Amino acid sequence: MNTAGHSKAMAPRGLELNPFRGLRYDPDRVGSLAAVTSPPYDVVVRPDGLHHLQSADPHNIVRLILPEAATPEARNAQAAETLRRWRSEGVLTADPEPGLYVYEQRDGDGMVQRGIIGLLRVSDPDEHLVLPHEDVMAHIVADRADLMRATSANLEPLLLTYRGEGSATATSELIERAAERRPLLATTTEDGFHHRLWSVTDPAGLTAVREELAGQQALIADGHHRWATYRRLRAEHPSPGPWDHGLVLLVDTARYPLRVRAIHRLLHRLPVADAVAALDGHFRVRRLDVPLSGAMDALAGAASAGNAFLLAGDGAFHLVDRPDPELTARTVPVDRPVAWRTLDATVLHATLLDHVWRIPDSPAHIAYIHDTAATVEKAERDGGTAVLMHPVHEDVVRDLAREGVTMPRKSTSFGPKPASGLVLRALDL
């Protein structure tokens, strides 16, 4: 029985999180649980990363979230057939009863993040319950929608945050109690993160979580395109029904703060010398002959006083700051709050990319890369320019989202992101 389809008896007051029968790998049917996991689909951006994951285990989740075939139609059909086959062969099996899933991630530096995976009612933007902070690209939403339709599944949870009271709550107590038990699964992925998962099926506990979350508002930390996909698919299908809900991980950042990192830009066709020359008279530019760590420290210091960027790709680092106020006043749109107009990402796109460098925001000209060292290395190898960014504080993101203001796309990277492949949701369960 699909429990989410019966959750509309009571009018929703806020966030509505439902239990479900998770679809999980049988550890006896795969090489290891770590070998079948993957980062979220949009983090696996390079073919070498995709092929590395494919070779880790023939049942790696990338064969579902990023299938390879000659056409989009063939890719989606292949993913659907692969999922059907893995279920029939017992590679993926459904848990016996519906539950919420407590999920824990740990790294070697003592960071612990815990949250709850469940099915969240897909709400409309005018309800102001699930707040986006970035715009989406229509072709990516269409691609994810085609895959979800073909597979009738949510293959990976998106990451949402909310701000609890910071003290003990029914949800936090349920999470802590679950973490004292033996987990359903425990594995360590090659990035060094330790993952554990527990199922919570106790009716009293589920009710307490549901009632507590009904008064909360969530921020999309990672998964804007998948949330937009959930909304599109809900609109296409009769309600009530399984498409009314989507798979999410909810994390209380008052208790478990996420890391907020920047997403860097790689300008494929702009050499560093040309980038620096074009800034003359518009920004202050200082060459730094220091290691990457020292350059990032210098960027952090400059960013605390105003807009700042770090250019790399020619063997050195160039700290760019102190934009000409007249230039930003002329190039940055004035119909947004001051907090948006002064974002580094706003000034980068509106002033530098659009006006100074005149570079279109297309994959042929700009790549978005999470890893700092990898961005620099690729710029040096290809003769392009790496634009390294300083991260935005979570409170700035949340405040803008509450005002209904979206940031330039790829402005932030919240983490750690949930590993894909630990628990899936099939809509027929």
Side-chain angles (χ1 to χ4, degrees):
M1 182 181 72
N2 188 319
T3 58
H6 293 264
S7 60
K8 293 232 172 184
M10 184 176 67
R13 296 168 294 155
L15 296 180
E16 182 188 310
L17 194 67
N18 287 276
F20 70 108
R21 290 180 63 198
L23 195 62
R24 297 189 295 110
Y25 282 98
D26 181 343
D28 295 329
R29 301 297 302 273
V30 297
S32 73
L33 290 175
V36 295
T37 63
S38 163
Y41 80 97
D42 57 339
V43 178
V44 187
V45 293
R46 291 165 45 153
D48 54 347
L50 178 62
H51 298 150
H52 169 72
L53 290 164
Q54 289 173 336
S55 63
D57 188 283
H59 300 106
N60 189 283
I61 191 68
V62 295
R63 297 184 185 276
L64 299 180
I65 63 175
L66 290 171
E68 288 194 303
T71 66
E73 294 77 14
R75 288 197 296 271
N76 295 327
Q78 176 180 294
E81 170 55 25
T82 299
L83 178 58
R84 185 204 62 76
R85 187 175 72 253
W86 288 357
R87 291 180 67 180
S88 67
E89 294 173 351
V91 173
L92 288 168
T93 60
D95 284 330
E97 57 183 317
L100 296 175
Y101 293 83
V102 171
Y103 176 45
E104 175 191 270
Q105 293 165 281
R106 290 179 179 266
D107 68 6
D109 298 325
M111 188 284 302
V112 179
Q113 177 178 289
R114 290 174 179 157
I116 295 183
I117 297 175
L119 301 187
L120 189 70
R121 181 181 70 88
V122 179
S123 55
D124 292 321
D126 59 9
E127 295 182 69
H128 303 294
L129 292 176
V130 176
L131 306 176
H133 69 269
E134 291 183 0
D135 293 327
V136 297
M137 302 177 73
H139 73 278
I140 297 178
V141 175
D143 174 74
R144 290 294 102 183
D146 288 342
L147 179 64
M148 287 191 203
R149 283 191 211 96
T151 57
S152 289
N154 299 153
L155 299 171
E156 47 185 348
L158 54 86
L159 175 61
L160 303 181
T161 73
Y162 69 99
R163 299 288 292 178
E165 301 300 322
S167 57
T169 62
T171 304
S172 65
E173 289 175 359
L174 178 142
I175 289 173
E176 302 307 322
R177 286 197 305 272
E180 294 173 355
R181 297 189 278 112
R182 182 175 179 175
L184 290 175
L185 65 85
T187 190
T188 301
T189 45
E190 64 179 8
D191 58 5
F193 271 89
H194 308 287
H195 307 263
R196 296 197 296 172
L197 191 76
W198 299 262
S199 177
V200 177
T201 58
D202 168 52
L206 298 179
T207 298
V209 170
R210 181 185 178 95
E211 291 178 349
E212 193 166 271
L213 291 177
Q216 293 291 342
Q217 185 182 55
L219 175 73
I220 302 176
D222 185 65
H224 283 81
H225 288 92
R226 280 167 285 166
W227 181 254
T229 301
Y230 290 168
R231 290 188 50 239
R232 172 180 291 195
L233 293 172
R234 187 204 60 176
E236 292 176 0
H237 293 83
S239 180
W243 297 100
D244 288 348
H245 295 75
L247 187 64
V248 306
L249 166 64
L250 267 173
V251 175
D252 177 1
T253 53
R255 198 166 184 86
Y256 297 105
L258 269 67
R259 293 171 173 168
V260 186
R261 292 194 167 110
I263 302 177
H264 310 297
R265 277 67 168 158
L266 174 62
L267 311 181
H268 296 300
R269 303 179 183 181
L270 181 67
V272 175
D274 294 347
V276 170
L279 296 175
D280 186 38
H282 298 308
F283 287 76
R284 181 175 69 168
V285 183
R286 290 173 286 167
R287 180 186 173 103
L288 306 176
D289 291 303
V290 296
L292 176 58
S293 59
M296 293 304 290
D297 288 342
L299 174 61
S304 67
N307 298 119
F309 313 93
L310 201 61
L311 307 186
D314 62 351
F317 297 100
H318 307 267
L319 183 61
V320 176
D321 64 356
R322 296 188 183 177
D324 174 15
E326 291 185 4
L327 175 64
T328 54
R330 189 170 72 251
T331 55
V332 174
V334 297
D335 60 343
R336 306 286 182 90
V338 171
W340 182 90
R341 299 201 304 268
T342 54
L343 287 169
D344 287 340
T346 298
V347 173
L348 172 63
H349 283 262
T351 304
L352 283 170
L353 294 175
D354 291 352
H355 181 82
V356 176
W357 293 328
R358 299 186 183 280
I359 295 176
D361 189 0
S362 69
H365 293 86
I366 304 176
Y368 294 83
I369 304 176
H370 293 73
D371 185 89
T372 309
T375 311
V376 175
E377 290 166 7
K378 188 160 179 56
E380 292 178 344
R381 186 170 64 247
D382 299 347
T385 294
V387 183
L388 306 181
M389 312 282 288
H390 185 68
V392 181
H393 196 277
E394 181 189 351
D395 288 344
V396 174
V397 179
R398 191 179 299 275
D399 289 346
L400 284 171
R402 283 176 174 156
E403 293 184 51
V405 178
T406 54
M407 301 168 66
R409 71 185 187 92
K410 301 297 183 183
S411 295
T412 59
S413 175
F414 284 87
K417 305 178 192 305
S420 299
L422 296 180
V423 61
L424 294 64
R425 179 254 184 143
L427 271 70
D428 62 352
L429 291 174

